[in-house]
Amino acid sequence: MLYLTADFFPIFVPLGVIGFYRYLIFFIKLMAWGAYRPIRPLDNPIYKPEKDVTIVVPTIDAGEEFREAAYSWLACNPKQILVVTEEAMRQPIQDMANSIAPDKIKIYSVPLASKREQMAEGIRHTDTDILVFADDDAIWKPTMLQYILACFEDESIGGVGTSQIVKPVGKRQTVWEILAGFRLTIRNIEVAASTHIDGGVCCISGRTAAYRTVILKDPSFIHNFTNDYWLGKYKLNSGDDKFLTRWMISHGWRTYMQVCPEAQLLSTFKDNWRFLMQVLRWTRNTWRSDFRSLFTERYLWTRHPFVSYTMVDKFFNPLTLLSGPVSVIILCFLQYHLPQWNIVASYLVWLILTRLVKLSPHLIRWPQHILALPAFLVFNFYFAFMKVYALFTLNVTGWGTRKMAIEQNE
């Protein structure tokens, strides 16, 4: 090995250090995920779905997927479901609600579509101890609310999140949906690991997230939530889940992630190239929120040091990811004692083997998705450039896919 690297030792040493570091952290997360345990419901709980839970669903274009999701929520027996839409869509959604469960589903509206304003309207009409935000396509297990409420038996916990898997839009998942599934598997491992290590999480996903209503009823929360600006001049509408997670941390509340089959939701993702627009929006939200968590609010450093570390680590992900192909290009154009095809082939084999290890929890469950591994490799490099692009366009706060949905409805 020393012979193979001797003539370019200064190149291989830093690459080796980067590789060792990346996979050491991965295996630490993997071990923490294995040691993690969800909170199980009590035989005689304080909180019960039928009297203590309101589900708030902000939506603008609820279709048939809403019907399926609504039936799954009703199977969990909440006290009520509040659907908040824009005024123009109120009657169509009211008609759909009447055909599902008019006694349990109530419809409210705001003048114009704005997810945060819609969420705030739902908060104002909530009269239960626990409020659960849900996307209009989030499909629950019948045990979802039992497992969410189990966490609130601890009075110090203010917010609870769940794990997720992809529900295909069609009969089979497209390559875009499989990519989303890969990302969700990695995320489920990471949030379980951080919950086990220091009790924190970078974000309680808004696809389904539960909070103590008393926290959200605070006028200060509603004002800041609906008047959230980046750099004081770019109003934010998306990134609501990031804001809620930071609010929990900055106000002394603990959070918990229920990563288990009983609290696992199914959700649809864009099954075409528009998935990339979703990822771009999420990436901008992550940059903005992580900057605030680490450098403006700074509560995270002392309360959840491991989560703080993972946030800083992700800042450098594009550099560490691109260091591999850059090194291969350099070696191919320098006087190296191995032929160029050997260098490229070795790198590709290394990429495939390491990604197989990283995705093994996903591939054990869905082995057929191994066919999408080449697409995942390409997406990773594309994502590295996307992160850099997102960093330099943080002033763009629009909701690309939601804008398309509005135009299609019109």
Side-chain angles (χ1 to χ4, degrees):
M1 181 61 71
L2 288 176
Y3 165 74
L4 292 175
T5 62
D7 46 356
F8 285 98
F9 202 65
I11 294 178
F12 284 104
V13 168
L15 287 178
V17 171
I18 291 172
F20 176 78
Y21 158 75
R22 299 300 311 170
Y23 279 88
L24 174 64
I25 299 304
F26 171 71
F27 282 114
I28 289 174
K29 291 178 181 179
L30 209 59
M31 288 187 290
W33 170 61
Y36 162 87
R37 294 293 180 270
I39 298 174
R40 303 290 177 183
L42 300 176
D43 292 333
N44 188 25
I46 296 173
Y47 297 104
K48 298 180 180 179
E50 63 272 16
K51 68 180 183 67
D52 295 310
V53 175
T54 296
I55 301 172
V56 173
V57 185
T59 184
I60 59 166
D61 56 346
E64 283 305 308
E65 71 277 0
F66 170 79
R67 185 183 300 276
E68 183 179 1
Y71 281 122
S72 76
W73 307 330
L74 291 167
C76 296
N77 197 28
K79 180 181 178 181
Q80 59 184 350
I81 299 172
L82 309 182
V83 180
V84 188
T85 186
E86 61 177 333
E87 189 59 42
M89 290 296 295
R90 179 166 185 161
Q91 193 55 51
I93 294 177
Q94 181 70 67
D95 294 339
M96 182 176 291
N98 291 343
S99 69
I100 299 171
D103 57 326
K104 282 246 184 177
I105 303 177
K106 300 176 182 177
I107 310 299
Y108 296 94
S109 64
V110 296
L112 296 173
S114 168
K115 187 178 181 184
R116 295 203 191 195
E117 290 291 348
Q118 289 167 244
M119 293 169 72
E121 184 70 10
I123 293 169
R124 296 184 186 101
H125 291 281
T126 297
D127 58 5
T128 56
D129 288 340
I130 306 298
L131 185 155
V132 183
F133 291 115
D135 279 3
D136 59 14
D137 62 348
I139 297 173
W140 294 358
K141 299 283 186 68
T143 51
M144 176 68 82
L145 288 183
Q146 296 174 31
Y147 273 74
I148 285 177
L149 293 179
C151 301
F152 289 110
E153 300 291 326
D154 183 337
E155 293 297 326
S156 67
I157 291 178
V160 177
T162 65
S163 57
Q164 307 173 46
I165 58 174
V166 174
K167 180 183 183 298
V169 173
K171 293 182 178 180
R172 294 184 179 180
Q173 290 190 20
T174 66
V175 66
W176 305 102
E177 292 171 305
I178 295 174
L179 292 177
F182 286 157
R183 287 170 57 88
L184 285 185
T185 296
I186 294 170
R187 183 184 188 279
N188 289 339
I189 292 172
E190 289 181 343
V191 298
S194 65
T195 297
H196 178 75
I197 291 172
D198 69 2
V201 65
C202 58
C203 178
I204 300 177
S205 171
R207 291 185 180 274
T208 290
Y211 300 95
R212 293 187 186 275
T213 306
V214 66
I215 303 172
L216 309 184
K217 288 276 191 180
D218 182 352
S220 175
F221 167 80
I222 293 179
H223 173 76
N224 285 280
F225 185 61
T226 55
N227 293 276
D228 187 20
Y229 290 84
W230 173 247
L231 300 180
K233 56 182 178 179
Y234 303 106
K235 190 169 186 178
L236 302 178
N237 187 30
S238 63
D240 49 276
D241 47 6
K242 298 279 189 182
F243 182 98
L244 281 158
T245 305
R246 294 200 317 273
W247 189 271
M248 296 298 115
I249 296 168
S250 64
H251 288 73
W253 291 97
R254 291 176 55 213
T255 59
Y256 203 86
M257 297 298 296
Q258 287 287 62
V259 183
C260 58
E262 296 86 351
Q264 189 176 72
L265 69 92
L266 288 86
S267 185
T268 57
F269 288 76
K270 301 303 178 186
D271 61 348
N272 51 36
W273 65 270
R274 289 170 60 194
F275 170 70
L276 298 178
M277 296 182 66
Q278 284 185 311
V279 175
L280 178 58
R281 186 181 77 243
W282 298 333
T283 305
R284 287 188 180 120
N285 287 336
T286 297
W287 275 119
R288 287 189 288 253
S289 183
D290 289 359
F291 278 139
R292 286 175 160 183
S293 293
L294 294 171
F295 306 120
T296 304
E297 298 166 358
R298 298 192 297 276
Y299 298 101
L300 201 66
W301 292 103
T302 53
R303 295 201 61 191
H304 305 297
F306 180 75
V307 176
S308 302
Y309 159 77
T310 59
M311 285 185 179
V312 173
D313 177 63
K314 288 178 180 178
F315 288 168
F316 299 99
N317 271 3
L319 296 178
T320 57
L321 183 62
L322 294 175
S323 64
V326 169
S327 301
V328 168
I329 293 171
I330 292 174
L331 291 174
C332 285
F333 283 94
L334 293 177
Q335 296 295 321
Y336 193 59
H337 57 256
L338 292 177
Q340 292 182 355
W341 71 265
N342 199 319
I343 297 172
V344 174
S346 299
Y347 179 62
L348 290 177
V349 170
W350 169 254
L351 276 180
I352 292 171
L353 290 177
T354 52
R355 268 49 184 185
L356 280 173
V357 171
K358 194 168 188 178
L359 295 173
S360 57
H362 183 100
L363 296 175
I364 289 171
R365 187 170 182 181
W366 296 284
Q368 70 274 20
H369 289 175
I370 195 172
L371 297 175
L373 186 59
F376 182 69
L377 296 177
V378 173
F379 173 78
N380 273 346
F381 290 114
Y382 171 81
F383 182 63
F385 289 105
M386 177 189 283
K387 283 194 73 170
V388 176
Y389 173 74
L391 176 62
F392 288 96
T393 56
L394 295 181
N395 60 308
V396 179
T397 60
W399 199 309
T401 52
R402 180 167 285 207
K403 180 181 178 182
M404 285 185 177
I406 294 172
E407 289 172 350
Q408 287 170 3
N409 284 336
E410 292 174 346

